[in-house]
Amino acid sequence: MTGSTRGPNDPRRRERILDAALDVIAEHGAIKVTFRKIAEAAGVPLGSLTYYFDDMQHLLTDAFTRLAETVSTRYGALLEAARTRQEAGEAVVEIICGKVWGTDRDLLLSYELYAFATRNPEVRAVMRSWMQASRDSLARHFDPLTARALDALVEGFSIHNSFDPRPTDREAVAAVVRAVVDRHH
Amino acid sequence: MTGSTRGPNDPRRRERILDAALDVIAEHGAIKVTFRKIAEAAGVPLGSLTYYFDDMQHLLTDAFTRLAETVSTRYGALLEAARTRQEAGEAVVEIICGKVWGTDRDLLLSYELYAFATRNPEVRAVMRSWMQASRDSLARHFDPLTARALDALVEGFSIHNSFDPRPTDREAVAAVVRAVVDRHH
Amino acid sequence: MTGSTRGPNDPRRRERILDAALDVIAEHGAIKVTFRKIAEAAGVPLGSLTYYFDDMQHLLTDAFTRLAETVSTRYGALLEAARTRQEAGEAVVEIICGKVWGTDRDLLLSYELYAFATRNPEVRAVMRSWMQASRDSLARHFDPLTARALDALVEGFSIHNSFDPRPTDREAVAAVVRAVVDRHH
Amino acid sequence: MTGSTRGPNDPRRRERILDAALDVIAEHGAIKVTFRKIAEAAGVPLGSLTYYFDDMQHLLTDAFTRLAETVSTRYGALLEAARTRQEAGEAVVEIICGKVWGTDRDLLLSYELYAFATRNPEVRAVMRSWMQASRDSLARHFDPLTARALDALVEGFSIHNSFDPRPTDREAVAAVVRAVVDRHH
DNA sequence: AATGAATGAGATTTCATTCAT
DNA sequence: GATGAATGAAATCTCATTCAT
């Protein structure tokens, strides 16, 4: 009996439940999440959900919090790695056009997250931290307004591209980013 | 004999139900929509919901379609009204900072809309028309890429501002818009 | 405007509704009959059902009555046509093995009929007339008990054959019928 | 602590529900079965019906399967008990005229069963086993065709007698059975 | 006479949550 | 600590029937 992945003493179970919840939301939509579906997706007994989480509201809060933190971390890592303005600008383009955030799954989940956060102060706070963190990262290379503008571009282009049958390509996105970055000149 | 509340003469009932559905979503979130809440909000008997709509899925599809069309129309009107590049740029700023779209209600509904559209081809198609229409309006004054960039800015700034305790102010937004608009100079 | 098959002044509409009701029962089972399905099958407006019939109970009563009469007539015609004991015996075999009654549809409907008749004195009376009529026909060639026995054989073999992957064939049935007919010898 | 009416210890509940379902069908007809009536008859909470059975269709399938098995067992027991041709013939008469199967309740249920089985392969299979089993029992004393003929007589006489104000009496039935049994002589 | 839009009553079904073990 | 059988409350949905036209 090695450290099994289930049964009593399963330290990762809580996290697996949250990930499963996000999977279920991604697959069926928050509108159709049920305990049963989450339990099944997580491979845990039904009863353990209400054992770990007081109720669905708390479970979703934690799940969306986890999502925001995960995405924020990935997003931040790319920006932090940039050493120059040039690299920072390229990182922004990469975030928009690459698969950093632009995964269909993550984007879809972010819509659900925004909707949920609007009604949930706790999650809203996490989102704000994320927003602040990404701006701070950008602010190491750009002035505050440019940081905000780039952040807005990431958001807007990502969403529109995901619905667009002919998304704005990397070259074009880069041109817009350059214009915003060089706007004082 | 004014429009009675009963009998076969209530031509606007269908629309009233859809508006009520959006109200309920705005108030409680799509995650908590129920027929009962919608019926109450619309002031119609419960049974009439499934008389007008095959099931909840169809009702929501029609409601979100209506939302997309409404918002698109309002959005488009502002852009169409612009006679010069200058005015078009100001319209973009107005859309971001004014109450055209930025209503908390509409913004919140748009998150739910995006989430719903991701799973619903019919609604997705309406969203694409909307996106195309707003780009076409902008394209009367700007080149295609600038149109896309402005559209992305509207989306991104609106969302971020709605979550931001200290939103980017009108002056700052205008500066960014100018940079994008004048990016060739 | 020739004598159209629908619209006002449609003398056959009542019968078409009853036939449609039987079709619906045959297709979905009495357990799932609805006014809407019947109206659709009959090609008549929904409202005409309750115009012609007080309620579902009455409609079904009339439909099953019609069924019993139809089947009884067809059944009786074959027996009446027989001129000799020999022919009467052959008619019985034909009823069992041919498609006189043994249609899957009619047999299925007869189960529903029996179930319905058990609770409905009016329909039960029709069924009794039918039973009496077929015995009377048989009694022109056979003594009363033989008539009853043949009637029972028709019932029993028809039912069992319909469920039997390898039904009793015509030759075998004929042998049994002969044994019953000739039982005094 | 006897078997309590609540909590996880009610091993016979599933069967009680099925019996209650048959009771309700016998009383009101399959056409009017509802979860509520069954739950009341079984003395269980409404929610437990869909806990034990996916939906009404499954519940009825199981109930009719149970019916077919019960009746088949009782029917079979009488035939198995027969030691001689003579006794087997008497058992057949007893089945027709006695209260083995001829109960109004069981007969009525069998009409509903036949109707249901026609649409339900699972139940149809159970019915076939039953038919086969009773023929096999008879075949221990009679040739295969005689077995089929007796089986048909049981079916036919039982049904007709149940609708007949003056049913065929035991003596008469016995005479017919004898004729079939002795048909080679 | 005939219709079909409309609805209320009730059906099925779902599911978060409880709680005995 | 952990479970899953069980249930009540409420959801969705169906449909016979009514009734204005």
Side-chain angles (χ1 to χ4, degrees):
Chain A
M1 237 158 293
T2 67
S4 81
T5 58
R6 59 170 296 178
N9 304 321
D10 179 359
R12 262 184 284 280
R13 172 170 290 195
R14 202 167 183 288
E15 280 65 39
R16 273 196 299 125
I17 292 173
L18 295 178
D19 286 339
L22 294 175
D23 285 344
V24 171
I25 293 171
E27 192 180 342
H28 299 94
I31 214 173
K32 289 197 177 172
V33 178
T34 66
F35 274 161
R36 240 178 265 278
K37 283 187 195 131
I38 296 174
E40 206 165 321
V44 303
L46 180 57
S48 87
L49 295 202
T50 40
Y51 178 73
Y52 283 99
F53 305 93
D54 283 352
D55 56 22
M56 179 65 94
Q57 184 69 11
H58 284 85
L59 197 165
L60 290 182
T61 299
D62 289 358
F64 278 120
T65 299
R66 181 173 169 83
L67 170 70
E69 283 165 351
T70 305
V71 176
S72 171
T73 300
R74 233 182 316 150
Y75 189 111
L78 256 181
L79 294 179
E80 291 293 330
R83 293 289 141 228
T84 64
R85 277 171 74 90
Q86 167 89 3
E87 283 179 19
E90 284 161 3
V92 166
V93 175
E94 174 60 20
I95 289 171
I96 293 173
C97 301
K99 289 297 166 198
V100 180
W101 182 27
T103 319
D104 281 352
R105 178 182 186 271
D106 284 350
L107 218 27
L108 164 52
L109 283 176
S110 78
Y111 308 144
E112 307 273 14
L113 166 64
Y114 296 167
F116 192 85
T118 305
R119 303 174 189 307
N120 190 301
E122 201 174 329
V123 174
R124 207 159 57 232
V126 178
M127 272 197 55
R128 281 186 186 141
S129 305
W130 165 20
M131 234 165 68
Q132 195 52 53
S134 68
R135 283 176 185 169
D136 289 349
S137 300
L138 288 166
R140 289 172 47 219
H141 304 286
F142 309 106
D143 68 281
L145 177 54
T146 301
R148 282 167 176 255
L150 291 176
D151 224 29
L153 278 182
V154 167
E155 186 80 54
F157 265 128
S158 297
I159 292 176
H160 287 187
N161 276 354
S162 81
F163 283 109
D164 201 334
R166 302 182 55 186
T168 310
D169 64 37
R170 179 178 288 262
E171 200 46 53
V173 169
V176 174
V177 166
R178 259 193 319 272
V180 168
V181 164
D182 299 339
R183 72 193 159 82
H184 302 299
H185 309 276
Chain B
M1 232 159 299
T2 67
S4 79
T5 58
R6 178 180 164 150
N9 290 319
D10 189 358
R12 262 183 285 281
R13 170 169 293 197
R14 201 167 185 288
E15 281 65 39
R16 281 224 316 282
I17 292 173
L18 294 178
D19 287 338
L22 294 174
D23 286 344
V24 171
I25 292 171
E27 194 183 350
H28 299 95
I31 213 173
K32 290 196 175 171
V33 177
T34 68
F35 277 154
R36 225 180 285 275
K37 284 184 193 135
I38 297 173
E40 254 164 52
V44 302
L46 189 55
S48 92
L49 296 199
T50 39
Y51 175 72
Y52 283 100
F53 305 95
D54 281 352
D55 55 23
M56 180 63 96
Q57 181 70 9
H58 284 85
L59 197 164
L60 291 181
T61 298
D62 290 0
F64 278 120
T65 299
R66 183 174 168 81
L67 171 70
E69 283 165 352
T70 305
V71 175
S72 171
T73 301
R74 231 181 320 148
Y75 191 112
L78 256 180
L79 294 179
E80 291 293 328
R83 292 290 141 225
T84 63
R85 276 172 72 92
Q86 168 87 4
E87 282 179 21
E90 282 160 3
V92 166
V93 175
E94 173 60 20
I95 288 171
I96 294 173
C97 301
K99 289 299 164 198
V100 179
W101 180 28
T103 321
D104 280 353
R105 182 193 129 104
D106 284 350
L107 220 26
L108 165 51
L109 282 176
S110 78
Y111 307 145
E112 307 274 15
L113 167 63
Y114 296 166
F116 194 85
T118 304
R119 301 171 192 307
N120 189 303
E122 202 175 328
V123 175
R124 207 159 56 231
V126 177
M127 275 198 52
R128 280 186 185 144
S129 304
W130 166 19
M131 233 166 68
Q132 194 52 52
S134 68
R135 282 176 187 172
D136 288 349
S137 299
L138 288 166
R140 288 173 46 221
H141 303 287
F142 308 107
D143 68 281
L145 177 54
T146 301
R148 282 167 176 257
L150 291 175
D151 223 31
L153 278 182
V154 168
E155 185 80 56
F157 265 129
S158 297
I159 292 176
H160 287 185
N161 277 353
S162 80
F163 284 110
D164 200 334
R166 304 181 56 187
T168 309
D169 63 37
R170 180 177 288 262
E171 202 45 55
V173 169
V176 174
V177 166
R178 260 195 316 274
V180 169
V181 164
D182 300 336
R183 72 193 161 82
H184 301 298
H185 309 278
Chain C
M1 232 157 299
T2 67
S4 80
T5 58
R6 58 170 297 178
N9 303 320
D10 180 0
R12 264 184 285 280
R13 172 171 290 195
R14 202 169 183 287
E15 280 65 39
R16 273 195 299 124
I17 292 173
L18 294 178
D19 286 338
L22 294 175
D23 285 344
V24 171
I25 292 172
E27 192 180 343
H28 299 95
I31 213 173
K32 290 196 174 171
V33 179
T34 67
F35 274 160
R36 240 176 265 278
K37 283 185 195 135
I38 296 173
E40 205 165 321
V44 303
L46 181 57
S48 86
L49 295 201
T50 40
Y51 178 73
Y52 283 99
F53 304 95
D54 283 350
D55 55 22
M56 179 65 95
Q57 183 69 13
H58 284 85
L59 197 165
L60 290 182
T61 299
D62 289 358
F64 278 121
T65 299
R66 183 173 168 80
L67 170 70
E69 283 165 352
T70 305
V71 175
S72 171
T73 302
R74 232 183 316 151
Y75 189 112
L78 256 181
L79 295 179
E80 291 293 329
R83 292 292 139 226
T84 63
R85 278 172 71 92
Q86 167 87 4
E87 282 180 21
E90 283 160 3
V92 166
V93 175
E94 174 59 22
I95 290 171
I96 294 173
C97 301
K99 288 298 163 198
V100 180
W101 181 28
T103 321
D104 281 353
R105 176 182 187 271
D106 284 349
L107 219 26
L108 164 51
L109 283 176
S110 79
Y111 308 144
E112 307 272 14
L113 166 64
Y114 296 166
F116 193 84
T118 305
R119 307 181 185 313
N120 189 301
E122 201 175 329
V123 174
R124 207 159 55 231
V126 177
M127 273 197 53
R128 280 183 186 144
S129 304
W130 165 20
M131 232 165 70
Q132 194 53 52
S134 68
R135 282 176 186 172
D136 288 349
S137 301
L138 288 166
R140 287 171 49 219
H141 304 287
F142 309 107
D143 67 283
L145 177 55
T146 301
R148 283 169 173 255
L150 291 176
D151 224 31
L153 277 182
V154 168
E155 186 79 55
F157 266 129
S158 296
I159 292 177
H160 287 186
N161 276 353
S162 80
F163 284 109
D164 200 333
R166 303 181 56 185
T168 309
D169 63 38
R170 180 178 287 261
E171 201 48 52
V173 169
V176 174
V177 166
R178 260 194 317 273
V180 169
V181 165
D182 301 336
R183 73 196 159 79
H184 303 298
H185 308 279
Chain D
M1 234 163 292
T2 67
S4 79
T5 58
R6 170 162 178 168
N9 290 318
D10 189 359
R12 262 182 286 280
R13 171 170 291 197
R14 203 168 184 287
E15 281 65 39
R16 281 224 317 281
I17 292 173
L18 294 178
D19 287 338
L22 294 175
D23 285 344
V24 171
I25 293 171
E27 194 183 351
H28 299 94
I31 213 174
K32 291 197 174 171
V33 177
T34 68
F35 275 154
R36 225 180 285 275
K37 284 183 194 138
I38 297 173
E40 253 164 53
V44 303
L46 187 55
S48 93
L49 295 202
T50 39
Y51 175 74
Y52 282 100
F53 305 94
D54 282 351
D55 54 23
M56 179 63 96
Q57 182 69 11
H58 284 85
L59 197 165
L60 290 181
T61 299
D62 289 359
F64 278 120
T65 299
R66 183 173 169 81
L67 170 70
E69 283 165 352
T70 305
V71 175
S72 171
T73 301
R74 229 179 324 147
Y75 189 113
L78 255 181
L79 295 180
E80 291 293 330
R83 293 289 139 229
T84 63
R85 276 171 74 90
Q86 168 88 3
E87 283 179 20
E90 283 160 3
V92 166
V93 175
E94 173 60 21
I95 289 171
I96 294 173
C97 301
K99 289 298 164 197
V100 180
W101 180 29
T103 321
D104 280 354
R105 182 193 129 104
D106 284 350
L107 220 26
L108 164 52
L109 283 176
S110 78
Y111 307 145
E112 307 274 14
L113 166 64
Y114 296 167
F116 193 86
T118 304
R119 302 173 191 305
N120 189 301
E122 202 175 327
V123 175
R124 208 159 55 231
V126 177
M127 274 197 53
R128 281 186 186 141
S129 305
W130 165 19
M131 231 165 70
Q132 194 54 51
S134 68
R135 283 177 185 170
D136 288 349
S137 301
L138 289 166
R140 287 172 47 223
H141 303 287
F142 309 106
D143 68 283
L145 177 54
T146 301
R148 281 166 175 257
L150 292 176
D151 223 31
L153 279 182
V154 168
E155 186 78 56
F157 266 129
S158 297
I159 292 177
H160 287 185
N161 277 353
S162 80
F163 283 109
D164 200 334
R166 302 181 55 186
T168 310
D169 63 37
R170 179 178 288 262
E171 201 46 53
V173 169
V176 174
V177 166
R178 257 194 319 273
V180 169
V181 164
D182 300 336
R183 74 195 158 80
H184 302 299
H185 310 277

